[in-house]
Amino acid sequence: MRASTFFSLVLLSSLGACAPAEEGAGPGSGSTAALVDFAAPQIVLPGVEQQEPVSVVVRDARGIVIPASAVTWTSDNPAVVEVTGNGSTATLRSR
């Protein structure tokens, strides 16, 4: 039987300086994240030192994508799953 690692992923978004991709909006316009689309609600890493890339799309309250969003990736248990990422992408690695 193969051991699998299940985990939850916490995403925090600091978006005060990000703007939606629309005419007339620019950096610093104060768009706030209302939704973070995470394509994989559950990821299974089938053993130790397995890794999986993940990504998110950050949207404002109107559903408009906020490009270049500052996303902070963390694991609720880094002894089990290490998360390294920058912006909208990260890599998850089982321990």
Side-chain angles (χ1 to χ4, degrees):
M1 179 192 291
R2 287 175 26 175
S4 295
T5 301
F6 292 91
F7 61 93
S8 62
L9 183 67
V10 176
L11 298 174
L12 303 173
S13 187
S14 300
L15 304 170
C18 297
E22 64 178 316
E23 192 172 310
S29 67
S31 292
T32 301
L35 176 66
V36 178
D37 290 330
F38 185 60
Q42 180 180 19
I43 295 174
V44 177
L45 299 172
V48 177
E49 295 299 321
Q50 299 295 307
Q51 65 182 28
E52 184 72 27
V54 294
S55 63
V56 296
V57 175
V58 180
R59 299 178 186 276
D60 69 9
R62 294 176 291 167
I64 297 171
V65 173
I66 303 173
S69 300
V71 178
T72 300
W73 297 81
T74 62
S75 171
D76 61 354
N77 191 345
V80 175
V81 175
E82 173 187 8
V83 181
T84 55
N86 187 7
S88 63
T89 61
T91 300
L92 311 176
R93 181 185 307 268
S94 59
R95 296 300 213 165

